[in-house]
Amino acid sequence: MNGVTKRIRNWLEVRVGLDELLRSNLTDYRVPSNINLFHTLGAVAVVGYLIQVITGICLLIYYIPHADHAFRSVQEIMTRVPYGWLFRQMHVVGSNLLIAAVFVHMVTIFLMGNYKRPRELTWISGGLLMVITLCFGFSGYLLPWTQLSYWATTVATSIPTAFPVVGDFVSRLLRGGSSVTGITLTRFFAVHVSLLPPLFVFLMVVHIALIRRIGLSATPFGRSDEEKRPLTEFRKKLHPDGYPYYPYLLQKQALMGILYFVVMFLVISFAPTFFFPEEATVPADAFKTPESIRPEWYFLAPYQMLKIIPNKFLGISLQIILLAVFIFWPFLDTHKEKNIFKRPVLRGVFIVVMIAMVILMWWGRR
Amino acid sequence: MRRYVMLLGLLLVFPLTASGDYREEFEQGFLTKTWSGQQPEENFCIECHSSDKMKPEFLTLAEEWKASWHAQNGIACHDCHGGDPKDSSMSMSPHRGFVGKPSPAEVPEFCGKCHIGILKNYLESGNGKALRSTGKGPHCEVCHGSHNVQRANIDIINEQRCTKCHSYERAKVMKQALFLVEKKAGEIEDGIKALRRAGVYPEEQERSLFNTQAEFRTLFHTVDVNLVNERTDEFTRKLGAIEKDIQGTFIELRSQKNFSAFLMALFSIMGGVLFLIIRTPDK
Ligand code: HEM
């Protein structure tokens, strides 16, 4: 180590106790020895979120949140602004990848039973993070002010009206009037860039702090001491016979983070119009309903579900209940068995839900 | 704990049994409407003219119009004939601006309300002057139809249509004079479509093509071969500039692809190196 870095290190050491800080967080922090690649998905989500923040700020420099200028400014980002196309593509492709990563993260946590006590709060904060990520996608979708975004938002913001008493109010609140206009655009813009990011960061900090405080779950399959002991006092889950976080898990996380970039650039290079169908290159026109309107892929399943339930109020209530079940799942499933392979009923329910989602998505696609 | 959560769930289920007084907009706007196609506005002209009250020889007009380029651009019966499409009893009253059916000699002015430049050139042309003086020249409808008006192209000039009154000789020379520019314009149109598919909004290129094409086609209505030939170079040059612009955009797209592929390769190599140096912990 050369002199300068040594001096900087020493300077920090005497002030903040750098060595101890690094040791306790990197090498003394131990993770279960049979940890698998799925445990890196949370870190991938953090990387994905950072990409959204950085590219989002770059877009913000040139984007104009006004109905008369939004479309043109986004086209200018794509054609005139140096590397604007790259930032926009990364932001758009990234938003979809991020949602996919977060979703897989959640499913694997579910399958490994890691939401069980004492980690209920971790699950809830994660569930809220998922909801906020979806809100990011929903609010961001309107911003380029294309035919696609305009009409998808028109349909989506009409959904709350199915709810009696407050539905109308909610819909008007979202739109800032009786239909989607420039007011809606500025509203969604405000939510997208100034309300959701701090909320997201706050929940992310809570989520990660909880994970560090409670300790990573032990072996995913098979019973560990955690479930056996009665929950009468806090006990951090240490893994004395596990591996140090640095370098073993960090390496894996970095590898998966890089893979995330590779997939992202793969889509940008070889399928640049994957997330831009024809309607996405036509400016919004309130008087011309396009041939086909459909929401983003991650909203297709709920969208189709609403469409096929004849009573809209029933449909929307069902979705709210499903969302509540999802968020509060650890309190509903208090069975001590973590291994899903020993729980045929839960396994069956899981498979049915997944298949139903795929079918609904496929169905809603057309 | 579990009991409270279930209670909460029950509370949420409770309103299900109530009947929601939800908005009509949702029921109609979200459910029944397929969200496709333009919402038809009530129009009494079309309604009455396609009902069985109509004379059989008029009955097809509304259908013809529906398939026309005018219909797609929002030009309806009353835009040409005047009248009030919102009021069934008074719709064809002259008080509401109804002008009825134009006589052949009136057709150029009838269409020229909107196609001003073309009207001017047409009236100065051999065809126009002939219509004026002897009533023998072709008016707009002869070449474009009245209700089934489609986008114009040079195939309107064909032996069948142009030999009704004189030999095909002059018409043929005219068609040849138009061919070069029209062919190039067709190619550019394909280029614009390709740009759209590539996710680019070709606003500027589209506008310049439209303007150039309209100007050229307006010129055609003089049916003056010499004039068209004289200005062919100028139009080819204008179209050439648009073509170059489109090609430039494609080159730009390709370099974007290359750059992004380069980044992908970079990250792949980083990943590969990391994969090789990753140590598996020894027990
Ligand atoms: C602080 C963080 C963020 C900032 C400052 C930001 C900013 C922006 C801006 C200015 C736009 C409009 C430009 C455009 O449409 O390309 C946009 C669009 C969008 N954003 Fe974000 N964003 C952030 C985070 C996120 C996140 C976390 C998501 C995750 C799902 C997301 C999803 C989207 C989507 C789907 C669009 C529409 C993209 C399009 O169709 O063009 N954003 N964002």
Side-chain angles (χ1 to χ4, degrees):
Chain A
M1 201 181 294
N2 71 39
V4 181
T5 37
K6 198 164 189 173
R7 277 190 18 225
I8 292 174
R9 226 186 140 129
N10 194 44
W11 192 92
L12 282 170
E13 167 60 33
V14 294
R15 281 166 182 80
V16 295
L18 188 67
D19 275 350
E20 198 274 337
L21 192 71
L22 291 179
R23 200 162 7 93
S24 64
N25 282 298
L26 294 177
T27 45
D28 281 2
Y29 172 41
R30 299 208 155 231
V31 298
S33 52
N34 56 355
I35 199 149
N36 57 32
L37 273 184
F38 293 125
H39 277 90
T40 62
L41 284 168
V44 168
V46 174
V47 170
Y49 181 71
L50 286 178
I51 296 174
Q52 293 309 105
V53 172
I54 292 165
T55 55
I57 290 170
C58 293
L59 291 173
L60 209 50
I61 295 170
Y62 292 97
Y63 176 75
I64 307 172
H66 186 288
D68 295 345
H69 305 293
F71 182 80
R72 190 179 45 76
S73 70
V74 171
Q75 296 315 312
E76 253 155 40
I77 289 172
M78 290 298 272
T79 50
R80 298 242 163 85
V81 178
Y83 296 99
W85 61 273
L86 183 64
F87 292 120
R88 174 145 191 254
Q89 283 279 17
M90 283 177 76
H91 199 74
V92 173
V93 176
S95 72
N96 289 281
L97 275 186
L98 177 57
I99 287 170
V102 172
F103 187 76
V104 178
H105 173 56
M106 201 186 75
V107 168
T108 54
I109 296 290
F110 179 87
L111 287 178
M112 296 191 285
N114 291 346
Y115 53 85
K116 288 184 181 296
R117 61 153 231 213
R119 297 189 177 77
E120 296 96 330
L121 288 175
T122 319
W123 172 270
I124 290 178
S125 59
L128 293 177
L129 278 170
M130 174 99 217
V131 171
I132 289 186
T133 311
L134 291 174
C135 290
F136 261 119
F138 177 61
S139 57
Y141 206 52
L142 180 66
L143 301 186
W145 204 244
T146 63
Q147 271 297 71
L148 189 69
S149 65
Y150 181 89
W151 289 98
T153 306
T154 298
V155 173
T157 50
S158 79
I159 292 174
T161 57
F163 213 77
V165 191
V166 290
D168 226 30
F169 171 74
V170 171
S171 175
R172 290 188 72 86
L173 187 75
L174 282 172
R175 292 176 172 178
S178 55
S179 61
V180 176
T181 58
I183 300 172
T184 324
L185 179 63
T186 40
R187 248 162 226 226
F188 276 41
F189 176 73
V191 168
H192 191 81
V193 304
S194 70
L195 178 65
L196 296 176
L199 262 180
F200 192 97
V201 170
F202 171 73
L203 282 167
M204 195 158 81
V205 169
V206 169
H207 193 68
I208 293 171
L210 280 170
I211 293 165
R212 296 302 304 267
R213 179 79 186 149
I214 299 170
L216 274 182
S217 283
T219 51
F221 300 110
R223 231 160 176 212
S224 79
D225 54 335
E226 266 179 314
E227 296 83 44
K228 282 185 218 134
R229 80 182 168 93
L231 206 60
T232 47
E233 55 171 358
F234 171 70
R235 209 186 303 151
K236 186 167 179 165
K237 180 77 188 163
L238 299 167
H239 299 278
D241 54 347
Y243 298 138
Y245 170 74
Y246 175 83
Y248 299 115
L249 184 56
L250 189 65
Q251 282 173 341
K252 280 188 182 160
Q253 288 176 336
L255 190 64
M256 291 296 275
I258 288 173
L259 188 66
Y260 185 85
F261 274 99
V262 172
V263 174
M264 176 181 249
F265 289 123
L266 184 78
V267 175
I268 298 176
S269 316
F270 300 106
T273 56
F274 194 73
F275 296 111
F276 297 112
E278 290 255 354
E279 273 99 25
T281 49
V282 182
D285 182 349
F287 299 105
K288 240 190 200 150
T289 320
E291 289 286 312
S292 67
I293 302 180
R294 58 181 138 88
E296 303 98 299
W297 60 271
Y298 40 88
F299 287 130
L300 279 179
Y303 170 75
Q304 187 59 25
M305 194 174 131
L306 262 185
K307 269 204 336 205
I308 56 175
I309 297 177
N311 184 323
K312 291 306 109 183
F313 176 55
L314 189 86
I316 201 156
S317 309
L318 197 64
Q319 296 209 326
I320 292 172
I321 289 169
L322 282 180
L323 186 68
V325 166
F326 160 66
I327 300 267
F328 295 108
W329 179 250
F331 297 109
L332 299 172
D333 172 26
T334 47
H335 200 295
K336 286 210 174 53
E337 181 56 61
K338 269 179 100 169
N339 189 348
I340 194 155
F341 290 110
K342 293 188 181 141
R343 297 186 56 191
V345 178
L346 185 65
R347 199 171 61 216
V349 170
F350 172 76
I351 291 171
V352 167
V353 168
M354 285 294 138
I355 290 177
M357 256 173 88
V358 170
I359 290 176
L360 283 172
M361 262 174 87
W362 195 258
W363 192 353
R365 221 171 61 97
R366 41 195 86 230
Chain B
M1 188 61 217
R2 201 173 174 185
R3 217 180 296 143
Y4 291 113
V5 175
M6 286 190 160
L7 206 69
L8 194 75
L10 264 179
L11 269 175
L12 279 169
V13 175
F14 183 66
L16 280 181
T17 54
S19 64
D21 58 337
Y22 38 87
R23 280 267 299 274
E24 253 177 46
E25 179 199 358
F26 186 81
E27 282 283 285
Q28 292 176 345
F30 183 68
L31 244 197
T32 50
K33 211 154 53 179
T34 52
W35 289 100
S36 63
Q38 215 157 352
Q39 301 311 311
E41 249 183 50
E42 211 173 23
N43 185 321
F44 284 115
C45 313
I46 298 167
E47 228 166 71
C48 182
H49 273 262
S50 32
S51 68
D52 358 313
K53 276 183 274 179
M54 198 41 52
K55 293 206 279 200
E57 64 264 38
F58 284 5
L59 208 51
T60 53
L61 295 181
E63 281 311 308
E64 275 178 31
W65 169 80
K66 265 183 203 145
S68 75
W69 183 244
H70 278 136
Q72 281 169 53
N73 281 275
I75 304 293
C77 320
H78 62 282
D79 291 314
C80 283
H81 290 292
D84 184 355
K86 299 261 170 283
D87 183 343
S88 144
S89 55
M90 292 288 284
S91 59
M92 296 208 313
S93 153
H95 297 295
R96 297 284 170 93
F98 186 65
V99 295
K101 164 196 169 185
S103 71
E106 287 167 355
V107 168
E109 272 84 9
F110 189 81
C111 304
K113 277 190 299 220
C114 304
H115 301 288
I116 302 163
I118 289 176
L119 174 67
K120 184 168 161 288
N121 281 354
Y122 168 80
L123 288 178
E124 287 164 3
S125 73
N127 279 336
K129 282 186 187 137
L131 180 72
R132 271 292 132 84
S133 53
T134 60
K136 286 216 183 87
H139 52 72
C140 319
E141 198 203 327
V142 174
C143 296
H144 294 292
S146 50
H147 297 98
N148 187 17
V149 173
Q150 293 305 333
R151 301 203 66 181
N153 60 57
I154 55 172
D155 293 331
I156 291 175
I157 304 176
N158 57 38
E159 237 173 313
Q160 197 203 356
R161 184 179 280 120
C162 303
T163 51
K164 273 186 214 153
C165 313
H166 47 66
S167 72
Y168 191 54
E169 210 46 51
R170 283 181 296 186
K172 201 169 159 191
V173 176
M174 188 77 218
K175 191 166 181 171
Q176 279 160 355
L178 296 176
F179 182 74
L180 213 67
V181 173
E182 285 296 329
K183 183 166 163 268
K184 187 133 204 185
E187 282 165 13
I188 290 173
E189 212 166 308
D190 292 343
I192 287 178
K193 277 200 198 112
L195 274 186
R196 231 179 234 294
R197 274 196 304 275
V200 178
Y201 177 58
E203 188 190 23
E204 259 166 60
Q205 292 93 336
E206 221 163 31
R207 200 181 331 105
S208 358
L209 175 65
F210 183 86
N211 291 341
T212 315
Q213 217 171 12
E215 202 188 329
F216 182 69
R217 289 175 170 179
T218 305
L219 179 69
F220 157 77
H221 288 88
T222 60
V223 282
D224 185 340
V225 177
N226 292 335
L227 200 59
V228 171
N229 276 334
E230 229 168 70
R231 295 188 56 193
T232 291
D233 270 355
E234 177 197 332
F235 281 103
T236 333
R237 214 172 330 107
K238 275 190 193 165
L239 290 174
I242 306 174
E243 197 173 31
K244 211 159 171 198
D245 201 21
I246 293 175
Q247 276 162 2
T249 310
F250 275 116
I251 291 171
E252 172 68 26
L253 283 179
R254 209 157 351 158
S255 78
Q256 289 180 0
K257 177 182 175 163
N258 287 342
F259 183 70
S260 158
F262 162 73
L263 289 177
M264 185 183 119
L266 199 69
F267 275 96
S268 303
I269 292 168
M270 267 162 66
V273 170
L274 186 63
F275 184 77
L276 290 179
I277 61 171
I278 272 186
R279 278 172 298 162
T280 17
D282 27 64
K283 273 279 178 188

